[in-house]
PDB file of all heavy atoms in Angstrom:
ATOM      1  N   ASN T   5      -2.245 -13.048  18.863  1.00  0.00           N
ATOM      2  CA  ASN T   5      -2.233 -14.177  18.006  1.00  0.00           C
ATOM      3  C   ASN T   5      -3.582 -14.868  17.779  1.00  0.00           C
ATOM      4  O   ASN T   5      -3.668 -15.922  17.061  1.00  0.00           O
ATOM      5  CB  ASN T   5      -1.284 -15.280  18.575  1.00  0.00           C
ATOM      6  CG  ASN T   5       0.131 -14.751  18.745  1.00  0.00           C
ATOM      7  OD1 ASN T   5       0.545 -14.195  17.832  1.00  0.00           O
ATOM      8  ND2 ASN T   5       0.698 -15.020  19.869  1.00  0.00           N
ATOM      9  N   HIS T  10      -6.058 -20.683  13.752  1.00  0.00           N
ATOM     10  CA  HIS T  10      -6.599 -21.750  12.882  1.00  0.00           C
ATOM     11  C   HIS T  10      -5.719 -21.728  11.565  1.00  0.00           C
ATOM     12  O   HIS T  10      -6.349 -21.916  10.438  1.00  0.00           O
ATOM     13  CB  HIS T  10      -8.009 -21.503  12.551  1.00  0.00           C
ATOM     14  CG  HIS T  10      -8.890 -21.533  13.848  1.00  0.00           C
ATOM     15  ND1 HIS T  10      -9.095 -22.609  14.631  1.00  0.00           N
ATOM     16  CD2 HIS T  10      -9.553 -20.494  14.343  1.00  0.00           C
ATOM     17  CE1 HIS T  10      -9.846 -22.343  15.611  1.00  0.00           C
ATOM     18  NE2 HIS T  10     -10.075 -21.133  15.464  1.00  0.00           N
ATOM     19  N   PRO T  29      11.977   2.608   6.751  1.00  0.00           N
ATOM     20  CA  PRO T  29      11.561   3.396   7.885  1.00  0.00           C
ATOM     21  C   PRO T  29      11.278   4.779   7.560  1.00  0.00           C
ATOM     22  O   PRO T  29      11.831   5.438   6.612  1.00  0.00           O
ATOM     23  CB  PRO T  29      12.774   3.256   8.803  1.00  0.00           C
ATOM     24  CG  PRO T  29      13.962   3.065   7.994  1.00  0.00           C
ATOM     25  CD  PRO T  29      13.412   2.209   6.801  1.00  0.00           C
ATOM     26  N   GLU T  43       3.140  20.652  -0.450  1.00  0.00           N
ATOM     27  CA  GLU T  43       2.876  22.097  -0.014  1.00  0.00           C
ATOM     28  C   GLU T  43       3.349  23.044  -1.150  1.00  0.00           C
ATOM     29  O   GLU T  43       2.736  24.050  -1.334  1.00  0.00           O
ATOM     30  CB  GLU T  43       3.503  22.332   1.327  1.00  0.00           C
ATOM     31  CG  GLU T  43       2.876  21.559   2.439  1.00  0.00           C
ATOM     32  CD  GLU T  43       3.447  21.836   3.798  1.00  0.00           C
ATOM     33  OE1 GLU T  43       4.507  22.611   3.869  1.00  0.00           O
ATOM     34  OE2 GLU T  43       2.945  21.426   4.872  1.00  0.00           O
ATOM     35  N   GLU T  53      -3.359  30.180  -0.795  1.00  0.00           N
ATOM     36  CA  GLU T  53      -2.748  31.150   0.124  1.00  0.00           C
ATOM     37  C   GLU T  53      -1.647  30.421   0.986  1.00  0.00           C
ATOM     38  O   GLU T  53      -1.914  29.378   1.562  1.00  0.00           O
ATOM     39  CB  GLU T  53      -3.778  31.704   1.070  1.00  0.00           C
ATOM     40  CG  GLU T  53      -3.205  32.756   2.006  1.00  0.00           C
ATOM     41  CD  GLU T  53      -2.808  33.986   1.381  1.00  0.00           C
ATOM     42  OE1 GLU T  53      -3.420  34.350   0.257  1.00  0.00           O
ATOM     43  OE2 GLU T  53      -1.914  34.698   1.768  1.00  0.00           O
ATOM     44  N   PRO T  58      -0.031  24.724   4.929  1.00  0.00           N
ATOM     45  CA  PRO T  58       0.308  23.619   5.844  1.00  0.00           C
ATOM     46  C   PRO T  58      -0.956  22.927   6.527  1.00  0.00           C
ATOM     47  O   PRO T  58      -1.097  21.713   6.563  1.00  0.00           O
ATOM     48  CB  PRO T  58       1.171  24.276   6.850  1.00  0.00           C
ATOM     49  CG  PRO T  58       1.866  25.403   6.144  1.00  0.00           C
ATOM     50  CD  PRO T  58       0.735  25.900   5.298  1.00  0.00           C
ATOM     51  N   GLU T  86       1.370  14.965 -13.702  1.00  0.00           N
ATOM     52  CA  GLU T  86       2.129  16.129 -13.426  1.00  0.00           C
ATOM     53  C   GLU T  86       2.319  16.290 -11.846  1.00  0.00           C
ATOM     54  O   GLU T  86       3.439  16.597 -11.420  1.00  0.00           O
ATOM     55  CB  GLU T  86       1.582  17.369 -13.967  1.00  0.00           C
ATOM     56  CG  GLU T  86       1.706  17.436 -15.538  1.00  0.00           C
ATOM     57  CD  GLU T  86       1.114  18.696 -16.074  1.00  0.00           C
ATOM     58  OE1 GLU T  86       0.544  19.475 -15.421  1.00  0.00           O
ATOM     59  OE2 GLU T  86       1.134  18.932 -17.327  1.00  0.00           O
ATOM     60  N   TYR T  90       5.842  16.000  -9.836  1.00  0.00           N
ATOM     61  CA  TYR T  90       6.290  17.129  -8.982  1.00  0.00           C
ATOM     62  C   TYR T  90       6.559  16.681  -7.524  1.00  0.00           C
ATOM     63  O   TYR T  90       7.632  16.942  -6.896  1.00  0.00           O
ATOM     64  CB  TYR T  90       5.340  18.338  -8.966  1.00  0.00           C
ATOM     65  CG  TYR T  90       5.836  19.571  -8.371  1.00  0.00           C
ATOM     66  CD1 TYR T  90       6.469  20.497  -9.165  1.00  0.00           C
ATOM     67  CD2 TYR T  90       5.857  19.795  -6.952  1.00  0.00           C
ATOM     68  CE1 TYR T  90       6.955  21.729  -8.538  1.00  0.00           C
ATOM     69  CE2 TYR T  90       6.229  20.899  -6.444  1.00  0.00           C
ATOM     70  CZ  TYR T  90       6.929  21.939  -7.261  1.00  0.00           C
ATOM     71  OH  TYR T  90       7.247  23.048  -6.604  1.00  0.00           O
ATOM     72  N   SER T 133      13.290  -0.596  -6.697  1.00  0.00           N
ATOM     73  CA  SER T 133      14.604  -0.661  -7.310  1.00  0.00           C
ATOM     74  C   SER T 133      15.661  -0.194  -6.402  1.00  0.00           C
ATOM     75  O   SER T 133      16.757  -0.914  -6.257  1.00  0.00           O
ATOM     76  CB  SER T 133      14.617   0.185  -8.572  1.00  0.00           C
ATOM     77  OG  SER T 133      15.995   0.190  -9.146  1.00  0.00           O
ATOM     78  N   PHE T 141       8.263  -9.175  -5.708  1.00  0.00           N
ATOM     79  CA  PHE T 141       6.797  -9.094  -5.728  1.00  0.00           C
ATOM     80  C   PHE T 141       6.299  -9.339  -7.143  1.00  0.00           C
ATOM     81  O   PHE T 141       6.957  -9.062  -8.133  1.00  0.00           O
ATOM     82  CB  PHE T 141       6.325  -7.654  -5.383  1.00  0.00           C
ATOM     83  CG  PHE T 141       6.726  -7.269  -3.966  1.00  0.00           C
ATOM     84  CD1 PHE T 141       7.912  -6.688  -3.717  1.00  0.00           C
ATOM     85  CD2 PHE T 141       5.880  -7.542  -2.886  1.00  0.00           C
ATOM     86  CE1 PHE T 141       8.291  -6.345  -2.340  1.00  0.00           C
ATOM     87  CE2 PHE T 141       6.142  -7.194  -1.569  1.00  0.00           C
ATOM     88  CZ  PHE T 141       7.430  -6.588  -1.300  1.00  0.00           C
ATOM     89  N   ASN T 151      -7.327   4.154 -10.119  1.00  0.00           N
ATOM     90  CA  ASN T 151      -7.778   5.281 -10.891  1.00  0.00           C
ATOM     91  C   ASN T 151      -7.321   5.365 -12.246  1.00  0.00           C
ATOM     92  O   ASN T 151      -6.661   6.324 -12.653  1.00  0.00           O
ATOM     93  CB  ASN T 151      -7.290   6.475 -10.020  1.00  0.00           C
ATOM     94  CG  ASN T 151      -7.705   6.522  -8.456  1.00  0.00           C
ATOM     95  OD1 ASN T 151      -8.808   6.898  -8.189  1.00  0.00           O
ATOM     96  ND2 ASN T 151      -6.747   6.085  -7.724  1.00  0.00           N
ATOM     97  N   PRO T 173     -17.191   0.941  -7.638  1.00  0.00           N
ATOM     98  CA  PRO T 173     -18.304   1.938  -8.143  1.00  0.00           C
ATOM     99  C   PRO T 173     -17.945   3.376  -7.656  1.00  0.00           C
ATOM    100  O   PRO T 173     -17.269   3.557  -6.621  1.00  0.00           O
ATOM    101  CB  PRO T 173     -19.562   1.525  -7.480  1.00  0.00           C
ATOM    102  CG  PRO T 173     -19.163   0.727  -6.234  1.00  0.00           C
ATOM    103  CD  PRO T 173     -17.816   0.025  -6.642  1.00  0.00           C
ATOM    104  N   THR T 178     -15.872   5.348   2.208  1.00  0.00           N
ATOM    105  CA  THR T 178     -16.139   5.308   3.617  1.00  0.00           C
ATOM    106  C   THR T 178     -14.980   4.642   4.308  1.00  0.00           C
ATOM    107  O   THR T 178     -14.318   3.882   3.708  1.00  0.00           O
ATOM    108  CB  THR T 178     -17.430   4.612   4.018  1.00  0.00           C
ATOM    109  OG1 THR T 178     -17.291   3.322   3.515  1.00  0.00           O
ATOM    110  CG2 THR T 178     -18.589   5.336   3.472  1.00  0.00           C
ATOM    111  N   VAL T 243      -2.801  -1.334  17.375  1.00  0.00           N
ATOM    112  CA  VAL T 243      -3.850  -0.316  17.080  1.00  0.00           C
ATOM    113  C   VAL T 243      -5.153  -1.068  16.714  1.00  0.00           C
ATOM    114  O   VAL T 243      -5.211  -2.210  16.492  1.00  0.00           O
ATOM    115  CB  VAL T 243      -3.402   0.602  15.921  1.00  0.00           C
ATOM    116  CG1 VAL T 243      -2.109   1.291  16.168  1.00  0.00           C
ATOM    117  CG2 VAL T 243      -3.304  -0.175  14.675  1.00  0.00           C
ATOM    118  N   TRP T 264       5.868 -18.916   7.813  1.00  0.00           N
ATOM    119  CA  TRP T 264       6.780 -19.990   7.283  1.00  0.00           C
ATOM    120  C   TRP T 264       6.339 -21.358   7.498  1.00  0.00           C
ATOM    121  O   TRP T 264       7.040 -22.400   7.204  1.00  0.00           O
ATOM    122  CB  TRP T 264       8.277 -19.724   7.683  1.00  0.00           C
ATOM    123  CG  TRP T 264       8.927 -18.602   6.995  1.00  0.00           C
ATOM    124  CD1 TRP T 264       9.620 -18.543   5.876  1.00  0.00           C
ATOM    125  CD2 TRP T 264       8.758 -17.134   7.458  1.00  0.00           C
ATOM    126  NE1 TRP T 264      10.126 -17.322   5.598  1.00  0.00           N
ATOM    127  CE2 TRP T 264       9.558 -16.436   6.527  1.00  0.00           C
ATOM    128  CE3 TRP T 264       8.161 -16.518   8.439  1.00  0.00           C
ATOM    129  CZ2 TRP T 264       9.767 -15.053   6.613  1.00  0.00           C
ATOM    130  CZ3 TRP T 264       8.329 -15.165   8.553  1.00  0.00           C
ATOM    131  CH2 TRP T 264       9.055 -14.410   7.587  1.00  0.00           C
ATOM    132  N   GLY T 269       5.318 -28.834   1.076  1.00  0.00           N
ATOM    133  CA  GLY T 269       5.386 -28.924  -0.336  1.00  0.00           C
ATOM    134  C   GLY T 269       4.963 -27.690  -1.057  1.00  0.00           C
ATOM    135  O   GLY T 269       5.629 -27.277  -2.067  1.00  0.00           O
ATOM    136  N   PHE T 275       8.119 -20.964  -3.219  1.00  0.00           N
ATOM    137  CA  PHE T 275       9.377 -20.246  -3.040  1.00  0.00           C
ATOM    138  C   PHE T 275      10.272 -20.335  -4.303  1.00  0.00           C
ATOM    139  O   PHE T 275      10.864 -19.282  -4.741  1.00  0.00           O
ATOM    140  CB  PHE T 275      10.185 -20.879  -1.937  1.00  0.00           C
ATOM    141  CG  PHE T 275      11.564 -20.354  -1.741  1.00  0.00           C
ATOM    142  CD1 PHE T 275      11.833 -19.014  -1.500  1.00  0.00           C
ATOM    143  CD2 PHE T 275      12.662 -21.253  -1.924  1.00  0.00           C
ATOM    144  CE1 PHE T 275      13.153 -18.575  -1.389  1.00  0.00           C
ATOM    145  CE2 PHE T 275      13.953 -20.759  -1.908  1.00  0.00           C
ATOM    146  CZ  PHE T 275      14.227 -19.413  -1.677  1.00  0.00           C
ATOM    147  N   SER T 278       8.855 -17.828  -6.747  1.00  0.00           N
ATOM    148  CA  SER T 278       8.951 -16.424  -6.330  1.00  0.00           C
ATOM    149  C   SER T 278      10.356 -15.814  -6.692  1.00  0.00           C
ATOM    150  O   SER T 278      10.485 -14.618  -6.936  1.00  0.00           O
ATOM    151  CB  SER T 278       8.675 -16.213  -4.853  1.00  0.00           C
ATOM    152  OG  SER T 278       9.779 -16.791  -4.035  1.00  0.00           O
TER     153      SER T 278
END
Side-chain angles (χ1 to χ4, degrees):
N5 299 316
H10 303 290
E43 291 182 352
E53 183 67 32
E86 290 180 1
Y90 190 96
S133 176
F141 298 90
N151 303 277
T178 59
V243 299
W264 284 266
F275 170 65
S278 70

